[in-house]
Amino acid sequence: MKTTLMISKWISLSFVLAFAACGGVAPDGAALAVEKGCVACHGEKGGAIAPIYPNLNGQYETYLRLQLVAYKSGKRVNAIMNGMAKDLSAEDIAALAAHYGK
Ligand code: HEC
């Protein structure tokens, strides 16, 4: 009886933890931009560090999201950005576009 109770408690705790780990919490775009290295070229707020890199601030969120989707799929071709977008999840892309876009 006691064991059954403990097992059922353990199971419900695992569900709570699994939910928290699997996107129960939306990724933070600003932190993700640092983690993924975007800030190295596009800056923390989207003001590029050099004229050879595009500014992302001032662009619409939807535009940025669609560009990242296109880089990921290879529809838009750029050696740097195809590599950067390759491993981004749909949630990452949405969070990064929301962070940099307006
Ligand atoms: C090594 C420098 C570098 C890094 C790091 C980098 N980018 Fe880029 N990014 C570029 C360059 C160069 C372009 C222009 C590419 C082209 O001509 O298509 C670009 C283009 C873009 C565009 C399209 C902008 C437009 O006006 O169409 C978006 C959106 C973007 N980057 C987002 C990101 C995100 C998000 C990250 C991090 C996951 C990132 N970039 C990391 C250099 C970089």
Side-chain angles (χ1 to χ4, degrees):
M1 186 62 189
K2 243 187 170 176
T3 320
T4 318
L5 193 67
M6 274 180 63
I7 290 175
S8 67
K9 269 192 179 166
W10 184 82
I11 289 173
S12 46
L13 180 68
S14 324
F15 275 120
V16 172
L17 292 177
F19 177 74
C22 299
V25 185
D28 170 9
L32 211 55
V34 174
E35 187 190 319
K36 301 286 180 189
C38 319
V39 297
C41 300
H42 297 293
E44 282 185 25
K45 300 232 155 76
I49 57 135
I52 54 164
Y53 303 124
N55 291 326
L56 301 181
N57 54 7
Q59 293 288 12
Y60 289 109
E61 178 179 343
T62 310
Y63 170 80
L64 295 178
R65 186 168 49 77
L66 292 177
Q67 299 319 302
L68 288 168
V69 169
Y71 283 130
K72 185 178 162 78
S73 72
K75 197 171 163 197
R76 181 169 172 181
V77 180
N78 176 263
I80 298 173
M81 283 310 302
N82 289 145
M84 293 305 304
K86 185 167 56 80
D87 296 324
L88 297 177
S89 67
E91 290 78 26
D92 291 343
I93 287 177
L96 288 164
H99 166 65
Y100 279 127
K102 63 177 181 183

PDB file of all heavy atoms in Angstrom, residues 32-33 36-42 52-56 59 63-65 67-68 71 76-81 84-85 88 92-93 96-97 100, ligand 1:
ATOM      1  N   LEU A  32      18.744  33.115 -25.523  1.00  0.00           N
ATOM      2  CA  LEU A  32      18.997  32.217 -26.646  1.00  0.00           C
ATOM      3  C   LEU A  32      19.953  32.858 -27.661  1.00  0.00           C
ATOM      4  O   LEU A  32      20.822  32.189 -28.226  1.00  0.00           O
ATOM      5  CB  LEU A  32      17.660  31.899 -27.323  1.00  0.00           C
ATOM      6  CG  LEU A  32      17.498  30.543 -27.987  1.00  0.00           C
ATOM      7  CD1 LEU A  32      17.798  29.405 -27.018  1.00  0.00           C
ATOM      8  CD2 LEU A  32      16.084  30.409 -28.540  1.00  0.00           C
ATOM      9  N   ALA A  33      19.811  34.165 -27.874  1.00  0.00           N
ATOM     10  CA  ALA A  33      20.678  34.881 -28.820  1.00  0.00           C
ATOM     11  C   ALA A  33      22.132  34.824 -28.359  1.00  0.00           C
ATOM     12  O   ALA A  33      23.047  34.738 -29.178  1.00  0.00           O
ATOM     13  CB  ALA A  33      20.208  36.324 -28.966  1.00  0.00           C
ATOM     14  N   LYS A  36      23.196  30.851 -28.602  1.00  0.00           N
ATOM     15  CA  LYS A  36      23.406  30.368 -29.972  1.00  0.00           C
ATOM     16  C   LYS A  36      24.473  31.167 -30.717  1.00  0.00           C
ATOM     17  O   LYS A  36      24.802  30.859 -31.855  1.00  0.00           O
ATOM     18  CB  LYS A  36      22.088  30.426 -30.762  1.00  0.00           C
ATOM     19  CG  LYS A  36      20.958  29.620 -30.171  1.00  0.00           C
ATOM     20  CD  LYS A  36      21.160  28.137 -30.394  1.00  0.00           C
ATOM     21  CE  LYS A  36      20.010  27.337 -29.803  1.00  0.00           C
ATOM     22  NZ  LYS A  36      20.284  25.895 -29.824  1.00  0.00           N
ATOM     23  N   GLY A  37      24.941  32.260 -30.125  1.00  0.00           N
ATOM     24  CA  GLY A  37      26.027  33.018 -30.744  1.00  0.00           C
ATOM     25  C   GLY A  37      25.584  34.114 -31.703  1.00  0.00           C
ATOM     26  O   GLY A  37      26.419  34.748 -32.343  1.00  0.00           O
ATOM     27  N   CYS A  38      24.272  34.378 -31.825  1.00  0.00           N
ATOM     28  CA  CYS A  38      23.762  35.407 -32.740  1.00  0.00           C
ATOM     29  C   CYS A  38      24.346  36.771 -32.409  1.00  0.00           C
ATOM     30  O   CYS A  38      24.613  37.585 -33.308  1.00  0.00           O
ATOM     31  CB  CYS A  38      22.242  35.520 -32.657  1.00  0.00           C
ATOM     32  SG  CYS A  38      21.375  33.946 -32.528  1.00  0.00           S
ATOM     33  N   VAL A  39      24.552  37.021 -31.114  1.00  0.00           N
ATOM     34  CA  VAL A  39      25.020  38.334 -30.647  1.00  0.00           C
ATOM     35  C   VAL A  39      26.408  38.671 -31.205  1.00  0.00           C
ATOM     36  O   VAL A  39      26.745  39.844 -31.331  1.00  0.00           O
ATOM     37  CB  VAL A  39      25.062  38.407 -29.095  1.00  0.00           C
ATOM     38  CG1 VAL A  39      23.669  38.252 -28.509  1.00  0.00           C
ATOM     39  CG2 VAL A  39      25.997  37.368 -28.515  1.00  0.00           C
ATOM     40  N   ALA A  40      27.185  37.660 -31.566  1.00  0.00           N
ATOM     41  CA  ALA A  40      28.544  37.890 -32.073  1.00  0.00           C
ATOM     42  C   ALA A  40      28.517  38.730 -33.345  1.00  0.00           C
ATOM     43  O   ALA A  40      29.462  39.478 -33.610  1.00  0.00           O
ATOM     44  CB  ALA A  40      29.239  36.558 -32.332  1.00  0.00           C
ATOM     45  N   CYS A  41      27.467  38.623 -34.139  1.00  0.00           N
ATOM     46  CA  CYS A  41      27.376  39.390 -35.391  1.00  0.00           C
ATOM     47  C   CYS A  41      26.239  40.412 -35.361  1.00  0.00           C
ATOM     48  O   CYS A  41      26.374  41.510 -35.871  1.00  0.00           O
ATOM     49  CB  CYS A  41      27.164  38.458 -36.571  1.00  0.00           C
ATOM     50  SG  CYS A  41      28.508  37.272 -36.774  1.00  0.00           S
ATOM     51  N   HIS A  42      25.102  40.001 -34.791  1.00  0.00           N
ATOM     52  CA  HIS A  42      23.922  40.879 -34.839  1.00  0.00           C
ATOM     53  C   HIS A  42      23.742  41.710 -33.578  1.00  0.00           C
ATOM     54  O   HIS A  42      22.786  42.489 -33.499  1.00  0.00           O
ATOM     55  CB  HIS A  42      22.657  40.037 -35.075  1.00  0.00           C
ATOM     56  CG  HIS A  42      22.648  39.305 -36.378  1.00  0.00           C
ATOM     57  ND1 HIS A  42      22.580  39.947 -37.606  1.00  0.00           N
ATOM     58  CD2 HIS A  42      22.729  37.981 -36.673  1.00  0.00           C
ATOM     59  CE1 HIS A  42      22.602  39.038 -38.582  1.00  0.00           C
ATOM     60  NE2 HIS A  42      22.692  37.843 -38.044  1.00  0.00           N
ATOM     61  N   ILE A  52      29.019  44.669 -42.501  1.00  0.00           N
ATOM     62  CA  ILE A  52      28.817  43.473 -43.343  1.00  0.00           C
ATOM     63  C   ILE A  52      27.719  42.568 -42.802  1.00  0.00           C
ATOM     64  O   ILE A  52      27.307  41.628 -43.465  1.00  0.00           O
ATOM     65  CB  ILE A  52      30.121  42.645 -43.512  1.00  0.00           C
ATOM     66  CG1 ILE A  52      30.726  42.286 -42.145  1.00  0.00           C
ATOM     67  CG2 ILE A  52      31.128  43.368 -44.397  1.00  0.00           C
ATOM     68  CD1 ILE A  52      31.753  41.169 -42.217  1.00  0.00           C
ATOM     69  N   TYR A  53      27.248  42.840 -41.571  1.00  0.00           N
ATOM     70  CA  TYR A  53      26.162  42.053 -40.996  1.00  0.00           C
ATOM     71  C   TYR A  53      24.890  42.890 -40.963  1.00  0.00           C
ATOM     72  O   TYR A  53      24.940  44.070 -40.597  1.00  0.00           O
ATOM     73  CB  TYR A  53      26.513  41.593 -39.571  1.00  0.00           C
ATOM     74  CG  TYR A  53      27.785  40.790 -39.509  1.00  0.00           C
ATOM     75  CD1 TYR A  53      28.834  41.177 -38.686  1.00  0.00           C
ATOM     76  CD2 TYR A  53      27.935  39.647 -40.284  1.00  0.00           C
ATOM     77  CE1 TYR A  53      30.019  40.442 -38.641  1.00  0.00           C
ATOM     78  CE2 TYR A  53      29.109  38.914 -40.246  1.00  0.00           C
ATOM     79  CZ  TYR A  53      30.145  39.314 -39.425  1.00  0.00           C
ATOM     80  OH  TYR A  53      31.307  38.592 -39.395  1.00  0.00           O
ATOM     81  N   PRO A  54      23.735  42.286 -41.306  1.00  0.00           N
ATOM     82  CA  PRO A  54      22.502  43.085 -41.284  1.00  0.00           C
ATOM     83  C   PRO A  54      22.016  43.395 -39.864  1.00  0.00           C
ATOM     84  O   PRO A  54      22.155  42.563 -38.966  1.00  0.00           O
ATOM     85  CB  PRO A  54      21.494  42.199 -42.031  1.00  0.00           C
ATOM     86  CG  PRO A  54      22.022  40.809 -41.933  1.00  0.00           C
ATOM     87  CD  PRO A  54      23.511  40.913 -41.813  1.00  0.00           C
ATOM     88  N   ASN A  55      21.470  44.602 -39.694  1.00  0.00           N
ATOM     89  CA  ASN A  55      20.774  44.928 -38.442  1.00  0.00           C
ATOM     90  C   ASN A  55      19.474  44.140 -38.422  1.00  0.00           C
ATOM     91  O   ASN A  55      18.793  44.058 -39.436  1.00  0.00           O
ATOM     92  CB  ASN A  55      20.422  46.423 -38.400  1.00  0.00           C
ATOM     93  CG  ASN A  55      21.649  47.290 -38.260  1.00  0.00           C
ATOM     94  OD1 ASN A  55      22.619  46.924 -37.609  1.00  0.00           O
ATOM     95  ND2 ASN A  55      21.614  48.456 -38.879  1.00  0.00           N
ATOM     96  N   LEU A  56      19.145  43.589 -37.276  1.00  0.00           N
ATOM     97  CA  LEU A  56      17.877  42.856 -37.177  1.00  0.00           C
ATOM     98  C   LEU A  56      16.812  43.708 -36.490  1.00  0.00           C
ATOM     99  O   LEU A  56      15.617  43.470 -36.654  1.00  0.00           O
ATOM    100  CB  LEU A  56      18.072  41.541 -36.401  1.00  0.00           C
ATOM    101  CG  LEU A  56      19.090  40.553 -36.989  1.00  0.00           C
ATOM    102  CD1 LEU A  56      19.153  39.290 -36.135  1.00  0.00           C
ATOM    103  CD2 LEU A  56      18.784  40.211 -38.436  1.00  0.00           C
ATOM    104  N   GLN A  59      13.188  45.311 -37.872  1.00  0.00           N
ATOM    105  CA  GLN A  59      12.485  44.417 -38.802  1.00  0.00           C
ATOM    106  C   GLN A  59      11.259  43.822 -38.103  1.00  0.00           C
ATOM    107  O   GLN A  59      11.256  43.643 -36.892  1.00  0.00           O
ATOM    108  CB  GLN A  59      13.396  43.263 -39.243  1.00  0.00           C
ATOM    109  CG  GLN A  59      14.573  43.683 -40.095  1.00  0.00           C
ATOM    110  CD  GLN A  59      14.181  44.108 -41.502  1.00  0.00           C
ATOM    111  OE1 GLN A  59      13.005  44.296 -41.793  1.00  0.00           O
ATOM    112  NE2 GLN A  59      15.160  44.264 -42.355  1.00  0.00           N
ATOM    113  N   TYR A  63       8.832  38.767 -40.446  1.00  0.00           N
ATOM    114  CA  TYR A  63       9.874  38.737 -41.479  1.00  0.00           C
ATOM    115  C   TYR A  63      11.081  37.945 -40.979  1.00  0.00           C
ATOM    116  O   TYR A  63      11.582  37.062 -41.685  1.00  0.00           O
ATOM    117  CB  TYR A  63      10.294  40.165 -41.859  1.00  0.00           C
ATOM    118  CG  TYR A  63      11.523  40.179 -42.742  1.00  0.00           C
ATOM    119  CD1 TYR A  63      11.434  39.925 -44.115  1.00  0.00           C
ATOM    120  CD2 TYR A  63      12.793  40.420 -42.204  1.00  0.00           C
ATOM    121  CE1 TYR A  63      12.577  39.901 -44.913  1.00  0.00           C
ATOM    122  CE2 TYR A  63      13.933  40.401 -43.000  1.00  0.00           C
ATOM    123  CZ  TYR A  63      13.811  40.139 -44.355  1.00  0.00           C
ATOM    124  OH  TYR A  63      14.939  40.107 -45.137  1.00  0.00           O
ATOM    125  N   LEU A  64      11.547  38.243 -39.771  1.00  0.00           N
ATOM    126  CA  LEU A  64      12.721  37.559 -39.229  1.00  0.00           C
ATOM    127  C   LEU A  64      12.463  36.059 -39.088  1.00  0.00           C
ATOM    128  O   LEU A  64      13.316  35.234 -39.403  1.00  0.00           O
ATOM    129  CB  LEU A  64      13.120  38.163 -37.875  1.00  0.00           C
ATOM    130  CG  LEU A  64      13.586  39.623 -37.921  1.00  0.00           C
ATOM    131  CD1 LEU A  64      13.892  40.116 -36.518  1.00  0.00           C
ATOM    132  CD2 LEU A  64      14.815  39.792 -38.810  1.00  0.00           C
ATOM    133  N   ARG A  65      11.264  35.728 -38.619  1.00  0.00           N
ATOM    134  CA  ARG A  65      10.926  34.311 -38.437  1.00  0.00           C
ATOM    135  C   ARG A  65      10.971  33.585 -39.784  1.00  0.00           C
ATOM    136  O   ARG A  65      11.563  32.520 -39.915  1.00  0.00           O
ATOM    137  CB  ARG A  65       9.543  34.171 -37.780  1.00  0.00           C
ATOM    138  CG  ARG A  65       9.189  32.734 -37.433  1.00  0.00           C
ATOM    139  CD  ARG A  65       7.965  32.642 -36.535  1.00  0.00           C
ATOM    140  NE  ARG A  65       6.825  33.427 -37.009  1.00  0.00           N
ATOM    141  CZ  ARG A  65       6.032  33.054 -38.002  1.00  0.00           C
ATOM    142  NH1 ARG A  65       6.227  31.914 -38.625  1.00  0.00           N
ATOM    143  NH2 ARG A  65       5.025  33.824 -38.371  1.00  0.00           N
ATOM    144  N   GLN A  67      12.624  34.394 -42.446  1.00  0.00           N
ATOM    145  CA  GLN A  67      14.001  34.287 -42.961  1.00  0.00           C
ATOM    146  C   GLN A  67      14.721  33.123 -42.287  1.00  0.00           C
ATOM    147  O   GLN A  67      15.434  32.369 -42.943  1.00  0.00           O
ATOM    148  CB  GLN A  67      14.793  35.586 -42.731  1.00  0.00           C
ATOM    149  CG  GLN A  67      14.202  36.805 -43.415  1.00  0.00           C
ATOM    150  CD  GLN A  67      13.699  36.506 -44.811  1.00  0.00           C
ATOM    151  OE1 GLN A  67      14.448  36.057 -45.677  1.00  0.00           O
ATOM    152  NE2 GLN A  67      12.405  36.722 -45.035  1.00  0.00           N
ATOM    153  N   LEU A  68      14.512  32.980 -40.970  1.00  0.00           N
ATOM    154  CA  LEU A  68      15.184  31.892 -40.251  1.00  0.00           C
ATOM    155  C   LEU A  68      14.666  30.528 -40.721  1.00  0.00           C
ATOM    156  O   LEU A  68      15.442  29.584 -40.877  1.00  0.00           O
ATOM    157  CB  LEU A  68      15.010  32.061 -38.735  1.00  0.00           C
ATOM    158  CG  LEU A  68      15.832  33.224 -38.156  1.00  0.00           C
ATOM    159  CD1 LEU A  68      15.412  33.527 -36.726  1.00  0.00           C
ATOM    160  CD2 LEU A  68      17.330  32.917 -38.211  1.00  0.00           C
ATOM    161  N   TYR A  71      16.351  29.942 -44.066  1.00  0.00           N
ATOM    162  CA  TYR A  71      17.763  29.543 -43.913  1.00  0.00           C
ATOM    163  C   TYR A  71      17.831  28.089 -43.457  1.00  0.00           C
ATOM    164  O   TYR A  71      18.662  27.323 -43.935  1.00  0.00           O
ATOM    165  CB  TYR A  71      18.467  30.405 -42.864  1.00  0.00           C
ATOM    166  CG  TYR A  71      18.854  31.806 -43.310  1.00  0.00           C
ATOM    167  CD1 TYR A  71      18.510  32.915 -42.535  1.00  0.00           C
ATOM    168  CD2 TYR A  71      19.601  32.022 -44.459  1.00  0.00           C
ATOM    169  CE1 TYR A  71      18.891  34.193 -42.899  1.00  0.00           C
ATOM    170  CE2 TYR A  71      19.981  33.310 -44.839  1.00  0.00           C
ATOM    171  CZ  TYR A  71      19.619  34.388 -44.055  1.00  0.00           C
ATOM    172  OH  TYR A  71      19.992  35.660 -44.418  1.00  0.00           O
ATOM    173  N   ARG A  76      16.587  29.922 -48.529  1.00  0.00           N
ATOM    174  CA  ARG A  76      17.435  31.107 -48.627  1.00  0.00           C
ATOM    175  C   ARG A  76      18.866  30.635 -48.368  1.00  0.00           C
ATOM    176  O   ARG A  76      19.131  30.009 -47.327  1.00  0.00           O
ATOM    177  CB  ARG A  76      17.017  32.178 -47.617  1.00  0.00           C
ATOM    178  CG  ARG A  76      17.890  33.426 -47.722  1.00  0.00           C
ATOM    179  CD  ARG A  76      17.353  34.597 -46.926  1.00  0.00           C
ATOM    180  NE  ARG A  76      18.327  35.683 -46.919  1.00  0.00           N
ATOM    181  CZ  ARG A  76      18.184  36.841 -46.304  1.00  0.00           C
ATOM    182  NH1 ARG A  76      17.063  37.082 -45.640  1.00  0.00           N
ATOM    183  NH2 ARG A  76      19.117  37.757 -46.344  1.00  0.00           N
ATOM    184  N   VAL A  77      19.748  30.943 -49.305  1.00  0.00           N
ATOM    185  CA  VAL A  77      21.104  30.393 -49.230  1.00  0.00           C
ATOM    186  C   VAL A  77      22.107  31.433 -48.720  1.00  0.00           C
ATOM    187  O   VAL A  77      22.219  32.532 -49.277  1.00  0.00           O
ATOM    188  CB  VAL A  77      21.562  29.879 -50.620  1.00  0.00           C
ATOM    189  CG1 VAL A  77      22.977  29.313 -50.531  1.00  0.00           C
ATOM    190  CG2 VAL A  77      20.602  28.812 -51.125  1.00  0.00           C
ATOM    191  N   ASN A  78      22.766  31.107 -47.632  1.00  0.00           N
ATOM    192  CA  ASN A  78      23.902  31.879 -47.128  1.00  0.00           C
ATOM    193  C   ASN A  78      24.702  30.938 -46.244  1.00  0.00           C
ATOM    194  O   ASN A  78      24.157  30.345 -45.317  1.00  0.00           O
ATOM    195  CB  ASN A  78      23.432  33.105 -46.338  1.00  0.00           C
ATOM    196  CG  ASN A  78      24.611  33.847 -45.725  1.00  0.00           C
ATOM    197  OD1 ASN A  78      24.934  33.657 -44.558  1.00  0.00           O
ATOM    198  ND2 ASN A  78      25.273  34.670 -46.516  1.00  0.00           N
ATOM    199  N   ALA A  79      25.982  30.798 -46.544  1.00  0.00           N
ATOM    200  CA  ALA A  79      26.817  29.814 -45.852  1.00  0.00           C
ATOM    201  C   ALA A  79      26.787  29.989 -44.337  1.00  0.00           C
ATOM    202  O   ALA A  79      26.659  29.017 -43.598  1.00  0.00           O
ATOM    203  CB  ALA A  79      28.242  29.894 -46.370  1.00  0.00           C
ATOM    204  N   ILE A  80      26.871  31.230 -43.872  1.00  0.00           N
ATOM    205  CA  ILE A  80      26.886  31.461 -42.422  1.00  0.00           C
ATOM    206  C   ILE A  80      25.518  31.129 -41.824  1.00  0.00           C
ATOM    207  O   ILE A  80      25.397  30.325 -40.907  1.00  0.00           O
ATOM    208  CB  ILE A  80      27.230  32.931 -42.080  1.00  0.00           C
ATOM    209  CG1 ILE A  80      28.628  33.277 -42.588  1.00  0.00           C
ATOM    210  CG2 ILE A  80      27.117  33.181 -40.582  1.00  0.00           C
ATOM    211  CD1 ILE A  80      28.985  34.750 -42.437  1.00  0.00           C
ATOM    212  N   MET A  81      24.490  31.748 -42.367  1.00  0.00           N
ATOM    213  CA  MET A  81      23.167  31.626 -41.746  1.00  0.00           C
ATOM    214  C   MET A  81      22.542  30.237 -41.917  1.00  0.00           C
ATOM    215  O   MET A  81      21.767  29.799 -41.078  1.00  0.00           O
ATOM    216  CB  MET A  81      22.226  32.726 -42.256  1.00  0.00           C
ATOM    217  CG  MET A  81      22.489  34.083 -41.628  1.00  0.00           C
ATOM    218  SD  MET A  81      22.576  34.024 -39.814  1.00  0.00           S
ATOM    219  CE  MET A  81      20.968  33.328 -39.407  1.00  0.00           C
ATOM    220  N   MET A  84      23.923  28.500 -39.017  1.00  0.00           N
ATOM    221  CA  MET A  84      23.384  29.005 -37.744  1.00  0.00           C
ATOM    222  C   MET A  84      21.957  28.510 -37.507  1.00  0.00           C
ATOM    223  O   MET A  84      21.567  28.230 -36.375  1.00  0.00           O
ATOM    224  CB  MET A  84      23.374  30.547 -37.725  1.00  0.00           C
ATOM    225  CG  MET A  84      24.709  31.222 -37.711  1.00  0.00           C
ATOM    226  SD  MET A  84      25.826  30.732 -36.383  1.00  0.00           S
ATOM    227  CE  MET A  84      24.873  31.058 -34.930  1.00  0.00           C
ATOM    228  N   ALA A  85      21.163  28.423 -38.579  1.00  0.00           N
ATOM    229  CA  ALA A  85      19.735  28.100 -38.420  1.00  0.00           C
ATOM    230  C   ALA A  85      19.452  26.595 -38.412  1.00  0.00           C
ATOM    231  O   ALA A  85      18.377  26.173 -37.971  1.00  0.00           O
ATOM    232  CB  ALA A  85      18.932  28.764 -39.541  1.00  0.00           C
ATOM    233  N   LEU A  88      18.182  25.103 -35.128  1.00  0.00           N
ATOM    234  CA  LEU A  88      17.188  25.837 -34.335  1.00  0.00           C
ATOM    235  C   LEU A  88      15.841  25.128 -34.436  1.00  0.00           C
ATOM    236  O   LEU A  88      15.430  24.728 -35.528  1.00  0.00           O
ATOM    237  CB  LEU A  88      17.045  27.276 -34.852  1.00  0.00           C
ATOM    238  CG  LEU A  88      18.277  28.186 -34.763  1.00  0.00           C
ATOM    239  CD1 LEU A  88      17.966  29.548 -35.388  1.00  0.00           C
ATOM    240  CD2 LEU A  88      18.730  28.350 -33.321  1.00  0.00           C
ATOM    241  N   ASP A  92      12.717  27.919 -30.902  1.00  0.00           N
ATOM    242  CA  ASP A  92      13.888  28.796 -30.854  1.00  0.00           C
ATOM    243  C   ASP A  92      13.703  29.945 -31.852  1.00  0.00           C
ATOM    244  O   ASP A  92      13.939  31.111 -31.536  1.00  0.00           O
ATOM    245  CB  ASP A  92      15.167  28.039 -31.258  1.00  0.00           C
ATOM    246  CG  ASP A  92      15.590  26.984 -30.234  1.00  0.00           C
ATOM    247  OD1 ASP A  92      15.103  27.051 -29.087  1.00  0.00           O
ATOM    248  OD2 ASP A  92      16.409  26.117 -30.592  1.00  0.00           O
ATOM    249  N   ILE A  93      13.285  29.591 -33.071  1.00  0.00           N
ATOM    250  CA  ILE A  93      13.120  30.591 -34.131  1.00  0.00           C
ATOM    251  C   ILE A  93      12.087  31.634 -33.709  1.00  0.00           C
ATOM    252  O   ILE A  93      12.319  32.837 -33.850  1.00  0.00           O
ATOM    253  CB  ILE A  93      12.729  29.905 -35.461  1.00  0.00           C
ATOM    254  CG1 ILE A  93      13.956  29.167 -36.022  1.00  0.00           C
ATOM    255  CG2 ILE A  93      12.178  30.910 -36.468  1.00  0.00           C
ATOM    256  CD1 ILE A  93      13.711  28.389 -37.302  1.00  0.00           C
ATOM    257  N   LEU A  96      13.641  33.875 -30.987  1.00  0.00           N
ATOM    258  CA  LEU A  96      14.671  34.777 -31.505  1.00  0.00           C
ATOM    259  C   LEU A  96      14.035  35.890 -32.344  1.00  0.00           C
ATOM    260  O   LEU A  96      14.429  37.060 -32.246  1.00  0.00           O
ATOM    261  CB  LEU A  96      15.688  33.988 -32.345  1.00  0.00           C
ATOM    262  CG  LEU A  96      16.619  33.081 -31.526  1.00  0.00           C
ATOM    263  CD1 LEU A  96      17.307  32.047 -32.414  1.00  0.00           C
ATOM    264  CD2 LEU A  96      17.655  33.912 -30.771  1.00  0.00           C
ATOM    265  N   ALA A  97      13.041  35.536 -33.160  1.00  0.00           N
ATOM    266  CA  ALA A  97      12.358  36.543 -33.984  1.00  0.00           C
ATOM    267  C   ALA A  97      11.616  37.540 -33.092  1.00  0.00           C
ATOM    268  O   ALA A  97      11.628  38.747 -33.353  1.00  0.00           O
ATOM    269  CB  ALA A  97      11.399  35.867 -34.959  1.00  0.00           C
ATOM    270  N   TYR A 100      14.365  39.899 -31.451  1.00  0.00           N
ATOM    271  CA  TYR A 100      15.009  40.880 -32.332  1.00  0.00           C
ATOM    272  C   TYR A 100      14.008  41.749 -33.097  1.00  0.00           C
ATOM    273  O   TYR A 100      14.328  42.867 -33.479  1.00  0.00           O
ATOM    274  CB  TYR A 100      15.919  40.162 -33.334  1.00  0.00           C
ATOM    275  CG  TYR A 100      17.281  39.775 -32.792  1.00  0.00           C
ATOM    276  CD1 TYR A 100      17.757  38.469 -32.892  1.00  0.00           C
ATOM    277  CD2 TYR A 100      18.111  40.731 -32.200  1.00  0.00           C
ATOM    278  CE1 TYR A 100      19.014  38.116 -32.408  1.00  0.00           C
ATOM    279  CE2 TYR A 100      19.367  40.380 -31.709  1.00  0.00           C
ATOM    280  CZ  TYR A 100      19.808  39.080 -31.814  1.00  0.00           C
ATOM    281  OH  TYR A 100      21.053  38.746 -31.339  1.00  0.00           O
TER     282      TYR A 100
HETATM  283  C1  HEC B   1      29.127  34.943 -38.063  1.00  0.00           C
HETATM  284  C2  HEC B   1      28.144  36.010 -38.105  1.00  0.00           C
HETATM  285  C3  HEC B   1      26.676  35.660 -37.900  1.00  0.00           C
HETATM  286  C4  HEC B   1      26.119  34.966 -36.844  1.00  0.00           C
HETATM  287  C5  HEC B   1      26.825  34.339 -35.662  1.00  0.00           C
HETATM  288  C6  HEC B   1      24.677  34.986 -37.077  1.00  0.00           C
HETATM  289  N1  HEC B   1      24.379  35.662 -38.220  1.00  0.00           N
HETATM  290 FE1  HEC B   1      22.530  36.058 -38.941  1.00  0.00          FE
HETATM  291  N2  HEC B   1      23.339  36.904 -40.595  1.00  0.00           N
HETATM  292  C7  HEC B   1      24.706  37.019 -40.859  1.00  0.00           C
HETATM  293  C8  HEC B   1      24.896  37.479 -42.230  1.00  0.00           C
HETATM  294  C9  HEC B   1      26.228  37.720 -42.938  1.00  0.00           C
HETATM  295  C10 HEC B   1      23.602  37.649 -42.774  1.00  0.00           C
HETATM  296  C11 HEC B   1      23.223  38.063 -44.213  1.00  0.00           C
HETATM  297  C12 HEC B   1      23.109  36.765 -44.983  1.00  0.00           C
HETATM  298  C13 HEC B   1      22.481  36.878 -46.349  1.00  0.00           C
HETATM  299  O1  HEC B   1      22.942  37.675 -47.160  1.00  0.00           O
HETATM  300  O2  HEC B   1      21.495  36.128 -46.574  1.00  0.00           O
HETATM  301  C14 HEC B   1      22.662  37.293 -41.719  1.00  0.00           C
HETATM  302  C15 HEC B   1      21.276  37.344 -41.853  1.00  0.00           C
HETATM  303  C16 HEC B   1      20.376  37.077 -40.853  1.00  0.00           C
HETATM  304  C17 HEC B   1      18.947  37.266 -40.949  1.00  0.00           C
HETATM  305  C18 HEC B   1      18.192  37.838 -42.147  1.00  0.00           C
HETATM  306  C19 HEC B   1      18.222  39.348 -42.039  1.00  0.00           C
HETATM  307  C20 HEC B   1      17.550  40.039 -43.182  1.00  0.00           C
HETATM  308  O3  HEC B   1      17.539  41.290 -43.153  1.00  0.00           O
HETATM  309  O4  HEC B   1      17.002  39.390 -44.091  1.00  0.00           O
HETATM  310  C21 HEC B   1      18.405  36.875 -39.764  1.00  0.00           C
HETATM  311  C22 HEC B   1      16.932  36.884 -39.373  1.00  0.00           C
HETATM  312  C23 HEC B   1      19.498  36.429 -38.918  1.00  0.00           C
HETATM  313  N3  HEC B   1      20.683  36.566 -39.615  1.00  0.00           N
HETATM  314  C24 HEC B   1      19.349  35.943 -37.633  1.00  0.00           C
HETATM  315  C25 HEC B   1      20.378  35.337 -36.916  1.00  0.00           C
HETATM  316  C26 HEC B   1      20.182  34.593 -35.696  1.00  0.00           C
HETATM  317  C27 HEC B   1      18.849  34.427 -34.983  1.00  0.00           C
HETATM  318  C28 HEC B   1      21.408  34.118 -35.314  1.00  0.00           C
HETATM  319  C29 HEC B   1      21.730  33.203 -34.163  1.00  0.00           C
HETATM  320  C30 HEC B   1      21.066  31.897 -34.203  1.00  0.00           C
HETATM  321  C31 HEC B   1      22.375  34.598 -36.298  1.00  0.00           C
HETATM  322  N4  HEC B   1      21.705  35.300 -37.253  1.00  0.00           N
HETATM  323  C32 HEC B   1      23.740  34.384 -36.231  1.00  0.00           C
HETATM  324  C33 HEC B   1      25.720  36.759 -39.943  1.00  0.00           C
HETATM  325  C34 HEC B   1      25.573  36.062 -38.770  1.00  0.00           C
END
